[in-house]
Amino acid sequence: MRSYWFLFAGSALAVASFVGFLAFNEIQHHKTHETPVEAFSKPLPAFSFSAHNGATVSKMELLGKVWVADFIFTSCPGPCLKMSSQMREVQALLNGNPDVRFVSITVNPEVDTPAVLAQYAEKFSAGPNWLFLTGGRKEIYDLAENGFLLSAVDTGDGSGKLEDKFIHDTKFAIVDKSGTIRQYVDGTSDDAARKVAAAVRHFLTSSN
């Protein structure tokens, strides 16, 4: 009888150890594959564009602020509307913090003049800290692809379909006070606003 008890106890201990091992491996796997807020660091180059409010906005003007950037165009029939809605929600979550900026840059500058962007800003109840920028096509696309490392392509296929003409990334880039990209968030995900707001709060208090 005693040998059976020892056999049962030994088996139970082995099962418990195996379960513990699996749990430990799962935790380690999660830690290895999750991306810490501080994991990415890409300084942005200098830039200067015209805003929807008539101001000129450059990297220098944004230093000392934590900001969220995305690339959109006002006549976009696809993801831009959701991205701008998410940005509006982030704006509400951060409640007009004076150390935060929201920056939406058009990939269709020939159409999206400051006046057109101003109408779009009004549509999404943009506050004074949300800037809609336009400028030279080459400068915008260079900043998207080489500065933000985000895709921006004018296919020029002549199809007349807006969704086919402009292909652009749908990520939000969170930029810290030094003008360095620190994190990306999928701008079309349902929890984008919550993730972006959390990252911005982190960098508002971070010394890194």
Side-chain angles (χ1 to χ4, degrees):
M1 185 70 177
R2 178 175 300 200
S3 62
Y4 283 110
W5 187 89
F6 278 117
L7 180 61
F8 173 78
S11 298
L13 181 61
V15 170
S17 299
F18 181 68
V19 170
F21 173 76
L22 289 178
F24 175 78
N25 273 357
E26 178 63 25
I27 291 170
Q28 291 303 108
H29 175 83
H30 177 72
K31 286 183 176 179
T32 301
H33 288 80
E34 73 179 0
T35 303
V37 173
E38 298 88 351
F40 189 82
S41 181
K42 167 69 168 61
L44 284 170
F47 62 86
S48 180
F49 296 123
S50 299
H52 71 289
N53 58 9
T56 298
V57 176
S58 69
K59 179 182 175 180
M60 290 297 295
E61 271 78 47
L62 294 168
L63 291 178
K65 311 294 183 185
V66 176
W67 48 290
V68 185
D70 66 351
F71 288 83
I72 60 162
F73 60 105
T74 62
S75 52
C76 173
C80 300
L81 296 175
K82 184 164 187 178
M83 293 169 66
S84 295
S85 295
Q86 292 277 22
M87 190 79 92
R88 176 174 57 194
E89 188 175 343
V90 179
Q91 176 183 243
L93 288 171
L94 295 171
N95 198 27
N97 189 310
D99 293 323
V100 178
R101 294 291 182 271
F102 310 98
V103 180
S104 295
I105 306 171
T106 181
V107 294
N108 188 13
E110 288 81 9
V111 171
D112 289 340
T113 62
V116 171
L117 290 173
Q119 293 178 347
Y120 189 81
E122 185 176 354
K123 176 180 178 180
F124 286 95
S125 304
N129 292 341
W130 189 352
L131 303 167
F132 293 82
L133 306 184
T134 188
R137 169 175 291 273
K138 182 179 185 303
E139 289 76 17
I140 288 173
Y141 280 68
D142 280 350
L143 181 65
E145 296 175 350
N146 301 317
F148 282 95
L149 306 181
L150 298 176
S151 61
V153 179
D154 180 352
T155 63
D157 65 355
S159 68
K161 296 180 180 179
L162 284 171
E163 59 266 37
D164 295 333
K165 183 171 175 56
F166 298 107
I167 301 172
H168 61 92
D169 222 308
T170 58
K171 293 186 180 71
F172 289 130
I174 292 89
V175 184
D176 70 15
K177 296 176 183 178
S178 70
T180 299
I181 304 168
R182 301 302 297 275
Q183 189 175 354
Y184 294 101
V185 173
D186 178 4
T188 61
S189 64
D190 292 337
D191 60 350
R194 179 186 59 79
K195 288 182 177 179
V196 170
V200 169
R201 290 190 188 103
H202 173 83
F203 290 116
L204 284 171
T205 58
S206 174
S207 59
N208 293 333

